[in-house]
Amino acid sequence: MNKVAFLDRDGIINKKAPEHQYITRPEDFIFLDNVPRAIKLLNDNGYLVIIITNQRGIARGLMTMDDLTAVHHSMCERLKKSGAHIDNIYVCPHNNGECNCRKPDIGLFLKAESDYTIDKSQSFMIGDSESDIVAGQRYGIRSILTTDLYSTVLSLLDKSNR
């Protein structure tokens, strides 16, 4: 059984694009403070780190899946330089109402569950929006609303080590 840290992307890992815009190029992807350190802490403490992200810009024709893949490849390469890694990334490229994978639905969590044996009692979702929190709760895991991944991870690990 794997303990999993499910993370939203925009607003948790990287600086969000302005309203109704999207991160479409690697050079527009800016890590938030201490995110590589937070992810490395999760890695070092035995968590799988899985990103669960809605990317409606694909459905809206503002970027392609190849654009998104380039952004994620660059992000992962930059994390490697800090000794951190992401185990997997699950993306919903759809518009609202077109699927069951767009948060707050849980289709992306179920896809992760089909790929990994997940211990829900030791797993959690960290996000910056209500849809992130609702999705995690619907999936049956602890859900944490924050904009500071590093402080949240420190607090979670401190509590689990007591």
Side-chain angles (χ1 to χ4, degrees):
M1 297 285 279
N2 296 291
K3 54 186 184 177
V4 179
F6 290 99
L7 307 178
D8 178 45
R9 196 193 80 179
D10 300 325
I12 293 297
I13 294 176
N14 61 285
K15 183 178 175 185
K16 282 186 172 185
E19 190 74 24
H20 304 298
Q21 294 181 33
Y22 298 87
I23 306 295
T24 60
R25 305 173 312 156
E27 53 268 27
D28 297 331
F29 185 95
I30 300 167
F31 280 113
L32 292 172
D33 289 343
N34 294 312
V35 164
R37 289 175 62 196
I39 292 172
K40 183 171 181 354
L41 280 170
L42 290 167
N43 298 150
D44 291 349
N45 281 274
Y47 285 88
L48 293 179
V49 178
I50 296 176
I51 295 175
I52 302 284
T53 182
N54 293 342
Q55 294 294 324
R56 187 169 63 166
I58 294 169
R60 297 178 76 198
L62 301 173
M63 65 180 172
T64 66
M65 190 58 85
D66 286 344
D67 294 332
L68 185 62
T69 298
V71 168
H72 287 164
H73 177 77
S74 173
M75 172 190 70
C76 289
E77 288 301 310
R78 290 170 58 199
L79 284 169
K80 270 189 213 173
K81 292 177 182 172
S82 298
H85 70 274
I86 301 294
D87 292 284
N88 214 327
I89 303 170
Y90 295 91
V91 175
C92 172
H94 306 108
N95 260 316
N96 293 334
E98 293 181 348
C99 64
N100 72 343
C101 62
R102 184 173 180 77
K103 293 177 290 179
D105 287 328
I106 64 168
L108 296 177
F109 291 89
L110 296 175
K111 174 66 175 133
E113 189 175 77
S114 74
D115 294 338
Y116 302 94
T117 306
I118 297 172
D119 181 349
K120 288 185 179 183
S121 71
Q122 293 194 62
S123 298
F124 50 82
M125 172 69 191
I126 298 177
D128 69 327
S129 71
E130 183 178 346
S131 67
D132 297 325
I133 301 314
V134 170
Q137 291 170 340
R138 286 180 177 169
Y139 180 60
I141 58 175
R142 181 176 177 196
S143 297
I144 302 146
L145 182 67
T146 188
T147 55
D148 185 346
L149 181 62
Y150 184 69
S151 293
T152 302
V153 167
L154 284 177
S155 177
L156 286 167
L157 294 177
D158 179 54
K159 288 176 185 170
S160 69
N161 290 330
R162 285 186 197 164

Short mmCIF file of all heavy atoms in Angstrom, two decimals, residues 59-102:
data_model
loop_
_atom_site.label_atom_id
_atom_site.label_comp_id
_atom_site.label_asym_id
_atom_site.label_seq_id
_atom_site.Cartn_x
_atom_site.Cartn_y
_atom_site.Cartn_z
N ALA A 59 -9.10 22.29 -23.77
CA ALA A 59 -10.44 22.25 -24.36
C ALA A 59 -10.80 23.58 -25.01
O ALA A 59 -11.52 23.60 -26.02
CB ALA A 59 -11.47 21.89 -23.30
N ARG A 60 -10.30 24.65 -24.44
CA ARG A 60 -10.60 25.98 -24.98
C ARG A 60 -9.72 26.34 -26.17
O ARG A 60 -9.85 27.43 -26.74
CB ARG A 60 -10.47 27.01 -23.88
CG ARG A 60 -11.50 26.76 -22.76
CD ARG A 60 -11.38 27.73 -21.63
NE ARG A 60 -11.96 29.00 -22.06
CZ ARG A 60 -11.71 30.15 -21.45
NH1 ARG A 60 -10.90 30.20 -20.41
NH2 ARG A 60 -12.27 31.25 -21.88
N GLY A 61 -8.79 25.46 -26.55
CA GLY A 61 -7.94 25.70 -27.70
C GLY A 61 -6.82 26.70 -27.46
O GLY A 61 -6.21 27.20 -28.41
N LEU A 62 -6.52 26.99 -26.19
CA LEU A 62 -5.47 27.96 -25.86
C LEU A 62 -4.10 27.32 -25.73
O LEU A 62 -3.10 28.02 -25.65
CB LEU A 62 -5.86 28.70 -24.58
CG LEU A 62 -7.19 29.44 -24.66
CD1 LEU A 62 -7.58 30.00 -23.30
CD2 LEU A 62 -7.13 30.55 -25.71
N MET A 63 -4.08 25.99 -25.66
CA MET A 63 -2.83 25.23 -25.64
C MET A 63 -3.15 23.81 -26.08
O MET A 63 -4.30 23.41 -26.13
CB MET A 63 -2.18 25.26 -24.25
CG MET A 63 -2.96 24.58 -23.17
SD MET A 63 -2.05 24.70 -21.61
CE MET A 63 -3.23 24.05 -20.48
N THR A 64 -2.10 23.08 -26.39
CA THR A 64 -2.26 21.69 -26.80
C THR A 64 -1.74 20.77 -25.70
O THR A 64 -1.05 21.21 -24.78
CB THR A 64 -1.47 21.41 -28.09
OG1 THR A 64 -0.07 21.54 -27.79
CG2 THR A 64 -1.86 22.35 -29.22
N MET A 65 -2.04 19.50 -25.84
CA MET A 65 -1.49 18.52 -24.89
C MET A 65 0.03 18.52 -25.01
O MET A 65 0.71 18.34 -24.00
CB MET A 65 -2.08 17.14 -25.15
CG MET A 65 -1.73 16.14 -24.06
SD MET A 65 -2.28 16.60 -22.39
CE MET A 65 -3.94 15.99 -22.40
N ASP A 66 0.57 18.72 -26.20
CA ASP A 66 2.03 18.80 -26.36
C ASP A 66 2.62 20.00 -25.60
O ASP A 66 3.69 19.89 -25.00
CB ASP A 66 2.42 18.89 -27.84
CG ASP A 66 2.27 17.57 -28.58
OD1 ASP A 66 2.15 16.51 -27.92
OD2 ASP A 66 2.25 17.61 -29.82
N ASP A 67 1.91 21.14 -25.62
CA ASP A 67 2.35 22.30 -24.83
C ASP A 67 2.40 21.94 -23.35
O ASP A 67 3.39 22.24 -22.66
CB ASP A 67 1.38 23.48 -25.00
CG ASP A 67 1.34 24.06 -26.39
OD1 ASP A 67 2.35 23.96 -27.13
OD2 ASP A 67 0.28 24.62 -26.76
N LEU A 68 1.35 21.27 -22.88
CA LEU A 68 1.29 20.90 -21.46
C LEU A 68 2.37 19.90 -21.11
O LEU A 68 3.02 20.01 -20.06
CB LEU A 68 -0.10 20.34 -21.14
CG LEU A 68 -0.34 20.01 -19.68
CD1 LEU A 68 -0.24 21.25 -18.81
CD2 LEU A 68 -1.69 19.33 -19.52
N THR A 69 2.61 18.95 -22.00
CA THR A 69 3.67 17.96 -21.77
C THR A 69 5.03 18.65 -21.65
O THR A 69 5.84 18.29 -20.79
CB THR A 69 3.67 16.91 -22.89
OG1 THR A 69 2.41 16.23 -22.87
CG2 THR A 69 4.79 15.91 -22.73
N ALA A 70 5.28 19.65 -22.48
CA ALA A 70 6.55 20.39 -22.41
C ALA A 70 6.68 21.12 -21.08
O ALA A 70 7.76 21.13 -20.47
CB ALA A 70 6.66 21.37 -23.57
N VAL A 71 5.59 21.72 -20.60
CA VAL A 71 5.61 22.41 -19.30
C VAL A 71 5.93 21.41 -18.20
O VAL A 71 6.78 21.65 -17.34
CB VAL A 71 4.27 23.12 -19.04
CG1 VAL A 71 4.17 23.59 -17.59
CG2 VAL A 71 4.08 24.30 -20.00
N HIS A 72 5.25 20.25 -18.23
CA HIS A 72 5.45 19.25 -17.18
C HIS A 72 6.85 18.63 -17.25
O HIS A 72 7.47 18.37 -16.21
CB HIS A 72 4.36 18.19 -17.23
CG HIS A 72 3.05 18.71 -16.74
ND1 HIS A 72 1.86 18.07 -16.99
CD2 HIS A 72 2.73 19.81 -16.02
CE1 HIS A 72 0.87 18.76 -16.44
NE2 HIS A 72 1.38 19.82 -15.86
N HIS A 73 7.35 18.41 -18.44
CA HIS A 73 8.71 17.87 -18.58
C HIS A 73 9.73 18.84 -17.97
O HIS A 73 10.62 18.44 -17.22
CB HIS A 73 9.02 17.60 -20.06
CG HIS A 73 10.42 17.12 -20.28
ND1 HIS A 73 10.82 15.84 -20.00
CD2 HIS A 73 11.52 17.78 -20.72
CE1 HIS A 73 12.11 15.72 -20.27
NE2 HIS A 73 12.56 16.88 -20.72
N SER A 74 9.59 20.11 -18.28
CA SER A 74 10.49 21.13 -17.74
C SER A 74 10.39 21.18 -16.22
O SER A 74 11.40 21.24 -15.51
CB SER A 74 10.16 22.50 -18.35
OG SER A 74 10.91 23.51 -17.74
N MET A 75 9.17 21.15 -15.70
CA MET A 75 8.96 21.17 -14.25
C MET A 75 9.68 19.98 -13.60
O MET A 75 10.40 20.15 -12.61
CB MET A 75 7.46 21.10 -13.94
CG MET A 75 7.13 20.91 -12.47
SD MET A 75 5.38 20.55 -12.16
CE MET A 75 5.23 18.89 -12.83
N CYS A 76 9.50 18.80 -14.15
CA CYS A 76 10.12 17.60 -13.58
C CYS A 76 11.64 17.65 -13.66
O CYS A 76 12.33 17.23 -12.72
CB CYS A 76 9.57 16.35 -14.27
SG CYS A 76 7.84 16.01 -13.83
N GLU A 77 12.18 18.17 -14.75
CA GLU A 77 13.63 18.30 -14.87
C GLU A 77 14.18 19.28 -13.84
O GLU A 77 15.23 19.04 -13.25
CB GLU A 77 14.01 18.74 -16.29
CG GLU A 77 13.82 17.66 -17.33
CD GLU A 77 14.64 16.42 -17.05
OE1 GLU A 77 15.86 16.54 -16.81
OE2 GLU A 77 14.06 15.30 -17.05
N ARG A 78 13.47 20.36 -13.62
CA ARG A 78 13.90 21.34 -12.62
C ARG A 78 13.81 20.76 -11.22
O ARG A 78 14.67 21.03 -10.38
CB ARG A 78 13.08 22.62 -12.76
CG ARG A 78 13.44 23.37 -14.06
CD ARG A 78 12.49 24.49 -14.37
NE ARG A 78 12.44 25.48 -13.31
CZ ARG A 78 11.43 26.35 -13.18
NH1 ARG A 78 10.43 26.34 -14.02
NH2 ARG A 78 11.45 27.22 -12.18
N LEU A 79 12.79 19.96 -10.94
CA LEU A 79 12.68 19.32 -9.64
C LEU A 79 13.83 18.34 -9.41
O LEU A 79 14.37 18.26 -8.30
CB LEU A 79 11.34 18.59 -9.50
CG LEU A 79 10.13 19.47 -9.25
CD1 LEU A 79 8.85 18.67 -9.40
CD2 LEU A 79 10.22 20.13 -7.88
N LYS A 80 14.20 17.60 -10.46
CA LYS A 80 15.31 16.63 -10.35
C LYS A 80 16.59 17.32 -9.87
O LYS A 80 17.35 16.74 -9.10
CB LYS A 80 15.60 15.97 -11.70
CG LYS A 80 14.84 14.71 -11.95
CD LYS A 80 15.37 14.05 -13.21
CE LYS A 80 14.26 13.34 -13.92
NZ LYS A 80 14.66 12.80 -15.22
N LYS A 81 16.83 18.54 -10.33
CA LYS A 81 18.03 19.28 -9.93
C LYS A 81 18.02 19.59 -8.43
O LYS A 81 19.07 19.86 -7.86
CB LYS A 81 18.15 20.56 -10.75
CG LYS A 81 18.45 20.30 -12.21
CD LYS A 81 18.50 21.57 -13.01
CE LYS A 81 18.76 21.24 -14.47
NZ LYS A 81 18.64 22.41 -15.34
N SER A 82 16.85 19.54 -7.82
CA SER A 82 16.72 19.75 -6.37
C SER A 82 16.63 18.43 -5.62
O SER A 82 16.36 18.43 -4.42
CB SER A 82 15.47 20.58 -6.07
OG SER A 82 15.55 21.85 -6.66
N GLY A 83 16.78 17.33 -6.34
CA GLY A 83 16.69 16.02 -5.70
C GLY A 83 15.27 15.57 -5.43
O GLY A 83 15.04 14.64 -4.65
N ALA A 84 14.29 16.21 -6.07
CA ALA A 84 12.88 15.88 -5.87
C ALA A 84 12.31 15.28 -7.15
O ALA A 84 12.89 15.43 -8.23
CB ALA A 84 12.11 17.14 -5.50
N HIS A 85 11.18 14.60 -7.01
CA HIS A 85 10.53 14.07 -8.21
C HIS A 85 9.03 13.93 -8.01
O HIS A 85 8.54 13.80 -6.89
CB HIS A 85 11.12 12.71 -8.62
CG HIS A 85 10.79 11.61 -7.66
ND1 HIS A 85 11.53 11.36 -6.53
CD2 HIS A 85 9.79 10.71 -7.67
CE1 HIS A 85 11.01 10.34 -5.88
NE2 HIS A 85 9.93 9.92 -6.54
N ILE A 86 8.33 13.98 -9.12
CA ILE A 86 6.89 13.73 -9.19
C ILE A 86 6.73 12.30 -9.72
O ILE A 86 7.35 11.94 -10.72
CB ILE A 86 6.20 14.73 -10.15
CG1 ILE A 86 6.42 16.18 -9.71
CG2 ILE A 86 4.72 14.40 -10.31
CD1 ILE A 86 5.78 16.57 -8.42
N ASP A 87 5.89 11.52 -9.06
CA ASP A 87 5.69 10.14 -9.50
C ASP A 87 4.74 10.02 -10.69
O ASP A 87 4.93 9.15 -11.53
CB ASP A 87 5.19 9.29 -8.33
CG ASP A 87 6.28 9.13 -7.28
OD1 ASP A 87 7.21 8.36 -7.52
OD2 ASP A 87 6.22 9.83 -6.25
N ASN A 88 3.75 10.91 -10.76
CA ASN A 88 2.84 10.87 -11.89
C ASN A 88 2.03 12.16 -11.92
O ASN A 88 1.90 12.85 -10.90
CB ASN A 88 1.90 9.66 -11.83
CG ASN A 88 1.56 9.12 -13.20
OD1 ASN A 88 1.47 9.86 -14.17
ND2 ASN A 88 1.39 7.81 -13.28
N ILE A 89 1.50 12.46 -13.11
CA ILE A 89 0.67 13.64 -13.31
C ILE A 89 -0.58 13.18 -14.06
O ILE A 89 -0.48 12.57 -15.12
CB ILE A 89 1.40 14.72 -14.14
CG1 ILE A 89 2.72 15.12 -13.47
CG2 ILE A 89 0.50 15.93 -14.36
CD1 ILE A 89 3.61 16.01 -14.32
N TYR A 90 -1.74 13.50 -13.48
CA TYR A 90 -3.01 13.18 -14.12
C TYR A 90 -3.70 14.50 -14.46
O TYR A 90 -3.80 15.39 -13.61
CB TYR A 90 -3.89 12.34 -13.20
CG TYR A 90 -3.29 10.97 -12.93
CD1 TYR A 90 -2.45 10.76 -11.85
CD2 TYR A 90 -3.54 9.91 -13.80
CE1 TYR A 90 -1.88 9.51 -11.62
CE2 TYR A 90 -2.97 8.67 -13.57
CZ TYR A 90 -2.15 8.48 -12.48
OH TYR A 90 -1.58 7.23 -12.26
N VAL A 91 -4.14 14.61 -15.71
CA VAL A 91 -4.66 15.86 -16.25
C VAL A 91 -6.07 15.68 -16.76
O VAL A 91 -6.36 14.73 -17.49
CB VAL A 91 -3.76 16.33 -17.43
CG1 VAL A 91 -4.34 17.57 -18.09
CG2 VAL A 91 -2.34 16.58 -16.96
N CYS A 92 -6.94 16.63 -16.42
CA CYS A 92 -8.25 16.74 -17.06
C CYS A 92 -8.16 17.87 -18.07
O CYS A 92 -8.02 19.03 -17.68
CB CYS A 92 -9.36 17.03 -16.06
SG CYS A 92 -10.92 17.39 -16.91
N PRO A 93 -8.25 17.55 -19.38
CA PRO A 93 -8.17 18.59 -20.41
C PRO A 93 -9.54 19.11 -20.86
O PRO A 93 -9.63 19.85 -21.83
CB PRO A 93 -7.48 17.85 -21.56
CG PRO A 93 -8.03 16.46 -21.45
CD PRO A 93 -8.19 16.22 -19.97
N HIS A 94 -10.60 18.71 -20.16
CA HIS A 94 -11.97 18.95 -20.62
C HIS A 94 -12.57 20.25 -20.08
O HIS A 94 -12.11 20.79 -19.09
CB HIS A 94 -12.86 17.78 -20.20
CG HIS A 94 -12.34 16.46 -20.63
ND1 HIS A 94 -11.80 15.56 -19.74
CD2 HIS A 94 -12.22 15.90 -21.86
CE1 HIS A 94 -11.39 14.48 -20.40
NE2 HIS A 94 -11.63 14.67 -21.68
N ASN A 95 -13.65 20.67 -20.73
CA ASN A 95 -14.46 21.77 -20.25
C ASN A 95 -15.36 21.29 -19.13
O ASN A 95 -15.57 20.08 -18.97
CB ASN A 95 -15.34 22.32 -21.39
CG ASN A 95 -14.78 23.58 -22.01
OD1 ASN A 95 -14.32 24.48 -21.30
ND2 ASN A 95 -14.82 23.65 -23.32
N ASN A 96 -15.94 22.21 -18.40
CA ASN A 96 -16.90 21.87 -17.36
C ASN A 96 -18.03 21.02 -17.95
O ASN A 96 -18.52 21.31 -19.04
CB ASN A 96 -17.51 23.13 -16.74
CG ASN A 96 -16.50 23.94 -15.98
OD1 ASN A 96 -15.51 23.41 -15.48
ND2 ASN A 96 -16.75 25.24 -15.86
N GLY A 97 -18.41 19.97 -17.24
CA GLY A 97 -19.56 19.16 -17.63
C GLY A 97 -19.32 18.15 -18.73
O GLY A 97 -20.26 17.48 -19.16
N GLU A 98 -18.10 18.01 -19.21
CA GLU A 98 -17.81 17.09 -20.31
C GLU A 98 -17.27 15.74 -19.87
O GLU A 98 -17.06 14.88 -20.72
CB GLU A 98 -16.78 17.71 -21.27
CG GLU A 98 -17.26 18.91 -22.02
CD GLU A 98 -16.20 19.47 -22.97
OE1 GLU A 98 -15.03 19.07 -22.90
OE2 GLU A 98 -16.58 20.33 -23.77
N CYS A 99 -17.02 15.56 -18.57
CA CYS A 99 -16.31 14.35 -18.14
C CYS A 99 -16.58 14.07 -16.67
O CYS A 99 -17.29 14.82 -16.01
CB CYS A 99 -14.81 14.55 -18.34
SG CYS A 99 -14.15 15.89 -17.29
N ASN A 100 -15.96 13.01 -16.17
CA ASN A 100 -16.01 12.73 -14.73
C ASN A 100 -14.63 12.87 -14.10
O ASN A 100 -14.42 12.44 -12.98
CB ASN A 100 -16.58 11.33 -14.47
CG ASN A 100 -15.60 10.24 -14.86
OD1 ASN A 100 -14.63 10.46 -15.58
ND2 ASN A 100 -15.85 9.04 -14.38
N CYS A 101 -13.69 13.47 -14.85
CA CYS A 101 -12.33 13.60 -14.31
C CYS A 101 -12.02 15.01 -13.82
O CYS A 101 -11.05 15.21 -13.09
CB CYS A 101 -11.27 13.13 -15.32
SG CYS A 101 -11.20 14.02 -16.87
N ARG A 102 -12.83 15.97 -14.19
CA ARG A 102 -12.56 17.36 -13.80
C ARG A 102 -12.93 17.55 -12.33
O ARG A 102 -14.06 17.30 -11.93
CB ARG A 102 -13.36 18.31 -14.68
CG ARG A 102 -13.06 19.76 -14.41
CD ARG A 102 -13.75 20.67 -15.44
NE ARG A 102 -13.44 22.04 -15.13
CZ ARG A 102 -12.28 22.64 -15.39
NH1 ARG A 102 -11.33 21.97 -16.01
NH2 ARG A 102 -12.06 23.89 -15.06
#
